[in-house]
Amino acid sequence: MADNQAKFLTGNLFRHVSVMSLTASIGLMAIFLVDLVDMVFISMLGKEELAAAVGYAGAILFFTTSFGIGMAIAAGALVARALGQGDVQLARRRSATALIYGFGFATVFAATVWMNLDVLVRWIGATSVTHALAVHYLQIIIPSLPVLLLGMVGGAILRAHGDARRAMMATVFGGLVNAVLDPILIFGLGLDLTGAAMASVVARITIGITSLYPIFRFHGGLDRPTAKQYRQDLPAILAIAGPAILTQFATPMGQAFVTRSMAAYGEEAVAGMAIVGRLTPVAFGVIFALSGAVGPIIGQNFGANQHERVKIAFRDGLVFTFLWVVFAAFALFFLRAPIASLFQAEGMSRNLVFLFCGPLALAFFFNGVIFVCNAAFNNLGRPFYSTAVNWGRHTLGTIPFVWLGAWAFGAPGVLIGQAAGGVIFAAIAVIMVRRVMQSKIAPQPAPFARQGRLMALWTGRR
């Protein structure tokens, strides 16, 4: 029986935010935890160049996954809005067109990246044997991006229906498959990095299948769009997906600069950064999930013109972010020594792990604030605002800070500088959201050019 009720129009909003974030994060963390285990297994092989190759490859994979996140944001926002308006048929139709367009776009994008892997990996600083290993690893994984996109968009559609549990289970199944295959392929068959890549591909296929099944089984499936409806829905999808993809691309671009900066300090430093990169989503998976969880809550209430509940949902998202970051940061601090030993981190690698598990983890609160703000922008008809904030964060809020940090403190300064820039742009993002709220959350997005300079958005009357 289909369950198409807009669930977030009533009830306690902090509870909705908490339940959606925690359940969605379990699925995300299943994947992130497997990535962490991948790094543990690779570290156990005792080859520094393998760990460094995973670090370089991670920057490229982050870039490609960001494309899928952008399409998922568009699908989730459009379906949640349609459900909030009570138009179930429109929700099913837009689910179908988002999946089909997303698969097609992802196929073209993956092919383009695959053909340019050599250049991309070299651009972020990999050389010699490490470069060859990273390219080989990516050549196996990148072709599976279109299938992963189906899983990501399918999960967004489920969350738009309020079905966070089934969206979670899809990624849990993918994580379990990866966890089972990793030791078999890496150690049992002696495939090393190749085995880790193959396990990831099978996991992505699993996520794709298990995300789509509940849509048909429990939510009425998909409508079959006509040619005219395909043409009608494309502008609506691109209006959110275009800015959302641009927004998501900012993060891997900033991360690529950080990786290249860290490469100047050798493979030990890059390996340490790769460990931190795997630890971050495990420790803060709930915050990563929060942006996708709070979006449908805002979207449904926005579609139903319940503007006061939209404002409360945004506030509760920030409160939830603060509480989780404090909890995770304290846990990392007390576990910093065992974590470093688990990865057999020594020298600079160990120093970077200790730095992240110390006060630097608290700075992730400001990244979380930006995530919540971006979810609000995307679901309130202001997607280009999230694009502006993210690109600002990962250019002006990253490059000069990383450069100054590296100049002052060396490799640790790279991570310190990266964290410092988030403070400024988190404050800007919150003020911009409040401006949108004060404008009574107008449903039609004003062209970004009409808003004048970015400064005008946060220096005006609050």
Side-chain angles (χ1 to χ4, degrees):
M1 181 177 177
D3 181 6
N4 297 302
Q5 182 183 3
K7 297 181 178 180
F8 305 127
L9 302 183
T10 59
N12 183 279
L13 285 165
F14 187 81
R15 181 180 182 279
H16 286 321
V17 169
S18 302
V19 170
M20 287 286 288
S21 298
L22 291 170
T23 51
S25 70
I26 293 172
L28 274 179
M29 290 172 69
I31 300 300
F32 293 145
L33 189 60
V34 171
D35 286 342
L36 189 69
V37 172
D38 279 349
M39 180 60 73
V40 172
F41 287 154
I42 295 300
S43 299
M44 288 171 62
L45 293 173
K47 300 177 182 178
E48 199 74 47
E49 64 274 13
L50 291 178
V54 172
Y56 288 118
I60 304 297
L61 289 175
F62 195 6
F63 175 68
T64 58
T65 303
S66 295
F67 181 90
I69 294 173
M71 287 300 303
I73 287 171
L78 291 172
V79 173
R81 195 176 300 174
L83 290 172
Q85 295 167 348
D87 194 336
V88 174
Q89 185 174 8
L90 178 62
R92 292 175 182 170
R93 191 187 88 201
R94 285 188 165 167
S95 296
T97 52
L99 285 165
I100 293 168
Y101 278 125
F103 184 85
F105 293 152
T107 300
V108 174
F109 179 67
T112 303
V113 171
W114 194 89
M115 290 186 291
N116 292 280
L117 282 175
D118 185 79
V119 174
L120 291 171
V121 173
R122 196 174 303 281
W123 181 73
I124 58 175
T127 58
S128 189
V129 175
T130 305
H131 172 273
L133 289 169
V135 170
H136 172 68
Y137 182 75
L138 290 167
Q139 284 177 331
I140 298 171
I141 295 181
I142 293 297
S144 65
L145 176 63
V147 177
L148 177 63
L149 183 135
L150 292 179
M152 296 173 78
V153 173
I157 293 168
L158 290 174
R159 286 190 293 274
H161 282 276
D163 196 351
R165 183 180 64 83
R166 292 189 180 97
M168 170 196 77
M169 291 309 300
T171 47
V172 168
F173 287 139
L176 289 173
V177 168
N178 204 335
V180 170
L181 290 179
D182 262 339
I184 295 173
L185 297 176
I186 294 173
F187 296 110
L189 299 181
L191 295 177
D192 294 351
L193 210 59
T194 301
M198 292 171 63
S200 295
V201 171
V202 178
R204 288 180 168 200
I205 294 171
T206 303
I207 293 171
I209 294 172
T210 52
S211 290
L212 295 179
Y213 173 76
I215 296 174
F216 292 92
R217 177 68 178 81
F218 301 103
H219 299 289
L222 307 172
D223 272 3
R224 180 176 294 179
T226 64
K228 180 180 179 181
Q229 289 170 337
Y230 274 117
R231 292 192 298 270
Q232 288 175 341
D233 285 354
L234 181 58
I237 292 170
L238 292 180
I240 300 177
I245 290 171
L246 288 175
T247 301
Q248 295 301 318
F249 277 173
T251 305
M253 292 298 288
Q255 188 61 39
F257 177 81
V258 173
T259 303
R260 186 176 179 87
S261 300
M262 192 67 80
Y265 300 97
E267 291 186 351
E268 192 175 81
V270 174
M273 187 195 67
I275 294 171
V276 170
R278 293 302 192 273
L279 281 173
T280 299
V282 172
F284 299 111
V286 173
I287 306 303
F288 281 93
L290 179 61
S291 59
V294 76
I297 298 171
I298 291 175
Q300 283 191 10
N301 284 282
F302 175 54
N305 292 317
Q306 298 194 33
H307 295 166
E308 190 60 33
R309 284 179 65 83
V310 170
K311 295 177 183 179
I312 296 172
F314 173 73
R315 181 203 66 192
D316 288 351
L318 297 182
V319 172
F320 184 86
T321 299
F322 175 78
L323 295 174
W324 184 266
V325 169
V326 170
F327 166 76
F330 274 97
L332 287 170
F333 179 77
F334 287 111
L335 294 172
R336 63 193 187 283
I339 289 172
S341 299
L342 177 65
F343 290 98
Q344 302 180 29
E346 298 178 353
M348 183 54 69
S349 292
R350 190 176 186 87
N351 291 341
L352 293 178
V353 171
F354 268 60
L355 174 64
F356 171 74
C357 293
L360 206 60
L362 287 169
F364 199 83
F365 168 72
F366 301 102
N367 288 334
V369 170
I370 294 174
F371 292 166
V372 176
C373 291
N374 286 344
F377 290 137
N378 288 326
N379 284 273
L380 298 178
R382 297 293 193 272
F384 275 111
Y385 286 13
S386 61
T387 304
V389 168
N390 244 33
W391 276 98
R393 164 67 178 101
H394 293 287
T395 52
L396 297 176
T398 296
I399 295 172
F401 290 92
V402 167
W403 185 85
L404 287 171
W407 174 76
F409 305 110
V414 174
L415 296 184
I416 294 171
Q418 183 185 25
V423 179
I424 297 172
F425 280 89
I428 292 173
V430 169
I431 295 170
M432 290 172 67
V433 170
R434 286 180 176 175
R435 295 277 296 188
V436 174
M437 300 291 188
Q438 284 185 334
S439 69
K440 297 182 180 179
I441 321 178
Q444 294 300 322
F448 190 75
R450 294 181 185 176
Q451 305 306 309
R453 296 175 302 142
L454 179 61
M455 188 70 73
L457 293 171
W458 57 278
T459 56
R461 181 175 60 84
R462 292 183 62 180

